[in-house]
Amino acid sequence: MTKTLDIVIRSFHRDRRWLALALRSISLFASGHRRVVVVVPRSSLARIDRGEIESDRVRLHVCRDYADDYLGQQITKLHADLYTDAEAILHLDSDHVFVAPCDLMTHLFDRGRPRMAFDSSSTRLATDGWRQCPVAFLREPVVPDVTSPPPIVVPRDVYAAVRGFCREAHGVSIGRYALAAGVGRFCEFALLRGFALTRQRERYAWVDAAQHSLLPGCRNFWSRAQTPASVAGTLPPELAATVSAPLSVEGY
């Protein structure tokens, strides 16, 4: 039975208002976890105030900068076990917001087994770059679609196993593999789920994302097209207040 669960959020300075909202929502509504670990690239530090983020249950860590931070954030997540010693790690994004009480242990585990999602309703073609990512990486078919966004909960030993497989099968680090694959051909969550499906299937309770939400009460907004202010009207009052609260670091 998993004893410790940490939430890991890989963020950066442009998402800091979303991050503030996410952290406040976790504090208000999420339970069952030990702490939240926020990881940002070094170049974001000058535009993020540690005081806005860190608390008794929130820790801020720094990762290296990448020329393409979209790939960089994917690579960072595949090293999540280096930022926490928790037995299991829940990945959320900065624009995941809890709007109702949610016991993470109850929803993410089934009799001790992590719930792992696939999507039977996906319209993503089998030839799509993300669908092909775990196929090329694992060198075997991966069916059904495992490219769904987070939430995803992963036992800590899986990250080292995936990185070790990469070196053994492809002769390079997972970072170099991701950079060589390029944007649109690499999906970190598809690798984690694909590895689980093909190597450790019985370790997980498999859930169809088309029929079941892993975390009811947690909404996934889209930071590229929305802002916290634009969704404030859909949030509980205590969260809406966070949207209008000033940040101590101005501008991007």
Side-chain angles (χ1 to χ4, degrees):
M1 181 69 179
T2 297
K3 295 180 181 178
T4 53
L5 172 71
D6 278 358
I7 299 170
V8 170
I9 301 176
R10 169 51 158 89
S11 193
F12 80 134
H13 68 93
R14 289 190 183 276
D15 275 350
R16 72 188 191 280
R17 286 194 177 275
W18 279 111
L19 178 62
L21 182 61
L23 293 176
R24 177 61 175 159
S25 78
I26 292 169
S27 176
L28 286 171
F29 296 121
S31 60
H33 63 293
R34 182 179 62 173
R35 66 171 63 99
V36 182
V37 177
V38 177
V39 186
V40 299
R42 186 167 301 279
S43 59
S44 285
L45 275 183
R47 298 175 181 181
I48 290 179
D49 187 339
R50 283 183 177 270
E52 297 172 4
I53 297 174
E54 291 193 304
S55 67
D56 289 343
R57 298 187 66 190
V58 181
R59 297 289 183 270
L60 178 65
H61 290 272
V62 178
C63 65
R64 57 166 286 192
D65 289 313
Y66 291 85
D68 185 329
D69 197 54
Y70 188 81
L71 285 170
Q73 55 91 19
Q74 292 180 299
I75 296 168
T76 304
K77 292 171 190 173
L78 291 171
H79 293 82
D81 58 316
L82 303 184
Y83 299 99
T84 171
D85 62 357
E87 293 175 285
I89 296 169
L90 168 61
H91 289 276
L92 295 176
D93 286 335
S94 301
D95 52 10
H96 276 92
V97 179
F98 288 87
V99 295
C102 184
D103 185 324
L104 300 179
M105 286 292 189
T106 297
H107 292 293
L108 294 174
F109 296 89
D110 180 358
R111 288 170 291 182
R113 293 187 301 166
R115 289 191 168 105
M116 188 68 75
F118 64 92
D119 188 358
S120 67
S121 68
S122 174
T123 57
R124 194 183 292 275
L125 297 176
T127 55
D128 175 85
W130 280 15
R131 289 287 300 270
Q132 282 296 301
C133 174
V135 176
F137 182 77
L138 297 165
R139 294 176 172 171
E140 62 180 274
V142 176
V143 179
D145 188 349
V146 291
T147 64
S148 300
I152 174 175
V153 62
V154 183
R156 69 169 296 104
D157 62 282
V158 173
Y159 300 93
V162 168
R163 296 192 302 265
F165 175 87
C166 187
R167 286 198 176 276
E168 181 178 342
H170 302 284
V172 295
S173 69
I174 194 69
R176 287 187 178 274
Y177 183 91
L179 294 173
V183 174
R185 301 288 300 178
F186 188 82
C187 177
E188 77 279 31
F189 297 128
L191 288 195
L192 290 169
R193 293 192 184 101
F195 189 88
L197 186 67
T198 61
R199 301 298 192 276
Q200 303 176 337
R201 182 190 296 258
E202 300 304 317
R203 187 178 186 180
Y204 302 89
W206 291 90
V207 175
D208 187 350
Q211 302 177 14
H212 180 82
S213 172
L214 277 183
L215 289 181
C218 182
R219 294 180 61 185
N220 185 193
F221 294 101
W222 192 28
S223 62
R224 291 190 178 185
Q226 297 170 299
T227 66
S230 72
V231 304
T234 70
L235 301 176
E238 55 266 59
L239 284 181
T242 300
V243 171
S244 60
L247 293 172
S248 60
V249 179
E250 296 300 326
Y252 292 144

